[in-house]
Amino acid sequence: MRNQDCSIKYLVLVLLALCQPAIGLPEHDPVPGGIALVPVNSDTNALFDGRRVMISESEGAYVAVVGIPLSHSPGAFYLDTAEGKVQFKVKEKQYEEQRLTIQNKRKVNPYAQDMERITRERAEMDTAFNHFRPVKRPDTDFDLPTEGIVSSSFGLRRILNDQPRSPHSGLDIAASEGTRIRSPAAGIIVATGDYFFNGNTVLIDHGQGLITMYCHMSSIRVEVGQAVNKGQYIGDVGMTGRVTGAHLHWGVSLNNARVNPGLFLNQASTP
Ligand SMILES: [Zn+2]
């Protein structure tokens, strides 16, 4: 009976995934930097690599929405749930290489005196990314946060001034300076700042470990602790921090894994 239950749940999940825009689950793309939708039996805590993951409920079926870090290896992995281990598979994915020339060399090879600031800012962002705020059903059906063209896709293996650096952990949308940025879904502002690499930055907590990040802004129009609605104006596109031109770097994090923002875009917003 249990196996039958499982296959019925799986069938429900497949059907849900097929009509994704209607119920608003992100896209199932179980690769490094992607998302695994894993059927589970209840909405009690489920952990991946020791971190609590989002659980979405739709018509009596529970689905864990698991962020897979870009650095993760492919293979079979487990969620730890109250009912035991639930297996899911991570497939292999090769991302393309991108070479960029940054004029401000200090942003590629920071000075010794920059390191304290960089470490402090990383800790601040890490605290935000690790936060799990209980929200019954976070909105995962995102609008594109600004009008522009995708200038750099997620996951690219980056070579800056001939030196290998961390892969591209967000989606870049090129737009002219001053173009408005809007929150893609409801949430609470959890951090704002002028960061060494990211420039003027805003982080929004949408609940259940889903955090979005906006970088290189020319101005910030929100404050920490403020609640924002879907579509609310949060600031403007700029070229602060480490950039080659005006653009929005848009990051999406789930269970502290930076994942492809494109997986959350509703059909109307897909660039
Ligand atoms: Zn970027």
Side-chain angles (χ1 to χ4, degrees):
M1 195 60 200
R2 244 169 192 265
N3 273 343
Q4 207 176 353
D5 276 349
C6 273
S7 42
I8 289 168
K9 274 212 167 134
Y10 189 71
L11 183 66
V12 168
L13 179 73
V14 169
L15 290 173
L16 289 178
L18 287 174
C19 42
Q20 182 220 322
I23 64 138
L25 277 176
E27 205 178 311
H28 176 65
D29 187 19
V31 298
I35 289 169
L37 299 180
V38 185
V40 289
N41 288 326
S42 73
D43 63 354
T44 46
N45 293 7
L47 304 177
F48 173 49
D49 281 345
R51 289 202 171 85
R52 196 167 166 192
V53 301
M54 174 186 287
I55 296 180
S56 195
E57 188 266 333
S58 182
E59 292 169 19
Y62 297 99
V63 179
V65 184
V66 185
I68 305 161
L70 265 169
S71 57
H72 211 281
S73 54
F77 297 93
Y78 295 91
L79 286 183
D80 289 304
T81 76
E83 291 83 20
K85 290 186 183 298
V86 180
Q87 196 192 60
F88 68 99
K89 290 207 167 86
V90 175
K91 294 187 216 159
E92 198 170 333
K93 174 156 184 172
Q94 282 295 326
Y95 289 96
E96 279 175 31
E97 186 181 284
Q98 182 187 42
R99 289 178 170 270
L100 291 173
T101 304
I102 306 290
Q103 299 303 336
N104 184 350
K105 293 186 171 55
R106 187 172 175 180
K107 298 286 181 192
V108 180
N109 298 107
Y111 300 164
Q113 67 259 40
D114 297 329
M115 292 317 292
E116 194 190 324
R117 177 181 167 193
I118 292 167
T119 306
R120 189 179 62 239
E121 292 168 358
R122 276 207 184 121
E124 206 170 298
M125 287 185 271
D126 228 47
T127 302
F129 288 139
N130 272 310
H131 194 235
F132 194 98
R133 186 169 64 91
V135 165
K136 186 81 186 151
R137 198 176 185 323
D139 181 2
T140 54
D141 202 23
F142 286 175
D143 291 338
L144 200 62
T146 196
E147 302 248 337
I149 53 159
V150 173
S151 55
S152 181
S153 56
F154 172 86
L156 296 174
R157 292 177 294 121
R158 283 199 153 163
I159 316 283
L160 306 184
N161 300 358
D162 294 323
Q163 298 164 63
R165 286 292 180 272
S166 306
H168 191 219
S169 60
L171 181 73
D172 286 354
I173 304 167
S176 50
E177 195 155 6
T179 308
R180 288 190 168 205
I181 301 167
R182 297 177 183 283
S183 182
I188 290 174
I189 308 298
V190 282
T192 65
D194 173 16
Y195 297 145
F196 184 82
F197 293 117
N198 292 332
N200 287 325
T201 299
V202 169
L203 284 108
I204 306 177
D205 181 344
H206 303 281
Q208 290 206 42
L210 176 61
I211 318 289
T212 59
M213 178 164 81
Y214 306 81
C215 304
H216 313 305
M217 299 162 82
S218 63
S219 67
I220 294 174
R221 305 288 176 163
V222 284
E223 286 172 6
V224 171
Q226 186 183 338
V228 290
N229 297 318
K230 194 183 188 95
Q232 190 164 332
Y233 173 41
I234 59 166
D236 303 289
V237 171
M239 47 189 303
T240 53
R242 186 173 71 188
V243 294
T244 56
H247 73 281
L248 169 67
H249 171 99
W250 181 32
V252 175
S253 182
L254 246 186
N255 51 270
N256 197 16
R258 254 55 82 208
V259 295
N260 182 3
L263 301 174
F264 289 82
L265 287 174
N266 54 44
Q267 273 188 334
S269 296
T270 304

